[in-house]
Amino acid sequence: MSDDDARSVVKQVFTEYLVTHALRKTPERFAILDEIYSREGHFDIELLFNYMKNKNYRVSRATLYNTIELLIDCKLVTRHKFGRNQAQYEKTYRSGHHDHLIDTRSGRIIEFSDPRINDIIKSACEDNSFILHHYALYVYGEQEKGNH
Amino acid sequence: MSDDDARSVVKQVFTEYLVTHALRKTPERFAILDEIYSREGHFDIELLFNYMKNKNYRVSRATLYNTIELLIDCKLVTRHKFGRNQAQYEKTYRSGHHDHLIDTRSGRIIEFSDPRINDIIKSACEDNSFILHHYALYVYGEQEKGNH
DNA sequence: ATACCTGCAAAGGGTTTGCATCAGG
DNA sequence: CCTGATGCAAACCCTTTGCAGGTAT
């Protein structure tokens, strides 16, 4: 599946979500989705705001906050609170679930994934009659110098 | 080990930390530590502030924020950012590591622990030459009604 | 035509900071 | 004594909210 294909699938998912919830398919909402899916890595609202401003696409911060909430709800975007600061976001579709090592000195974030985590989550949910929505595993520490 | 013993051990740990880092052993710092370790469950700064005010122990919020930072650094307290709101804290000494299921509807938090998580963290750190400080696993979802 | 949505700016709320005062070493 | 710590309040910053005007349906 090409990148363009992925972006059109994502657009479909969002469209269906909007229809199902009787929400309007405004151009801003799709422009935001497209901007997010055209980039890699983490971002915060301010960064997204600047990305779009630099393309001369005018969106207000209010709309960004509003739209990202919808995207989280339909699982196209994930929100993280790594440090003490503002929220970080990332696209989720076709990125596969992964977790994060956070270097507390540099703030750098390394992604990793381990298939065993799923089993643990599953049993924790079963044990507590819990219906999973999503999960996040954050590992804080420091990366040794010189090896990377 | 009794509760009182635990509290005195914790006080020792904190004292050593302060000495090592050439920080002052002020009465406020120990009063805050003691207040935290005399209670169970999660708390935020505002709650802690009120706890102490109600005991007629005057501490400023600034000191609470400052001190809790030290307690986190010496691993006597853990900070969580479950939702979008303010930080939640909990004492860590002798509570054993545990993780959290967060009911996104009610906000209720259930603790669980799974020994397998440790292996996963360890290998993730090894693979990335990462020196672990701490980690947190958050599982978001909804608890089924009627079973609890 | 009717809500809903957007943009703007102001309000909000948790956390941090500046500064004068206090007190531990 | 000297420097770090405290308390207070103001500043900060990210996020939310209110309102007037615009637009999807």
Side-chain angles (χ1 to χ4, degrees), chain B residues 23-61:
Chain B
L23 299 168
R24 291 182 183 166
K25 301 193 278 291
T26 66
E28 287 84 357
R29 287 176 173 169
F30 287 98
I32 292 166
L33 177 64
D34 216 53
E35 183 62 41
I36 291 171
Y37 269 81
S38 73
R39 297 186 176 269
E40 296 299 326
H42 300 97
F43 62 92
D44 57 39
I45 294 291
E46 201 56 26
L47 198 54
L48 185 56
F49 181 78
N50 288 324
Y51 284 159
M52 299 193 74
K53 195 164 84 174
N54 292 341
K55 284 189 179 171
N56 290 315
Y57 196 102
R58 297 186 145 287
V59 249
S60 68
R61 266 170 268 258

Side-chain angles (χ1 to χ4, degrees), chain A residues 23-24 26 28-29 58-60 62-63 66-67 84:
Chain A
L23 298 168
R24 290 183 182 167
T26 67
E28 288 84 357
R29 286 176 174 169
R58 296 186 146 287
V59 250
S60 68
T63 301
N66 165 32
T67 302
R84 234 168 311 166

Side-chain angles (χ1 to χ4, degrees), chain B residues 7-25:
Chain B
R7 272 160 83 178
S8 90
V9 171
V10 157
K11 199 171 292 188
Q12 263 182 349
V13 171
F14 194 33
T15 303
E16 278 166 34
Y17 172 85
L18 293 175
V19 170
T20 310
H21 291 73
L23 299 168
R24 291 182 183 166
K25 301 193 278 291

Side-chain angles (χ1 to χ4, degrees), chain A residues 79-124:
Chain A
R79 176 176 17 232
H80 294 289
K81 291 263 192 169
F82 293 123
R84 234 168 311 166
N85 323 322
Q86 81 267 40
Q88 297 272 104
Y89 303 88
E90 64 180 331
K91 62 183 178 184
T92 50
Y93 185 71
R94 260 169 51 78
S95 327
H97 187 92
H98 58 259
D99 291 292
H100 299 89
L101 296 161
I102 300 116
D103 188 319
T104 47
R105 218 177 358 177
S106 70
R108 198 157 92 86
I109 289 163
I110 303 159
E111 299 180 357
F112 74 98
S113 57
D114 190 312
R116 292 173 290 173
I117 295 174
N118 243 309
D119 301 333
I120 293 171
I121 305 292
K122 252 187 220 162
S123 50

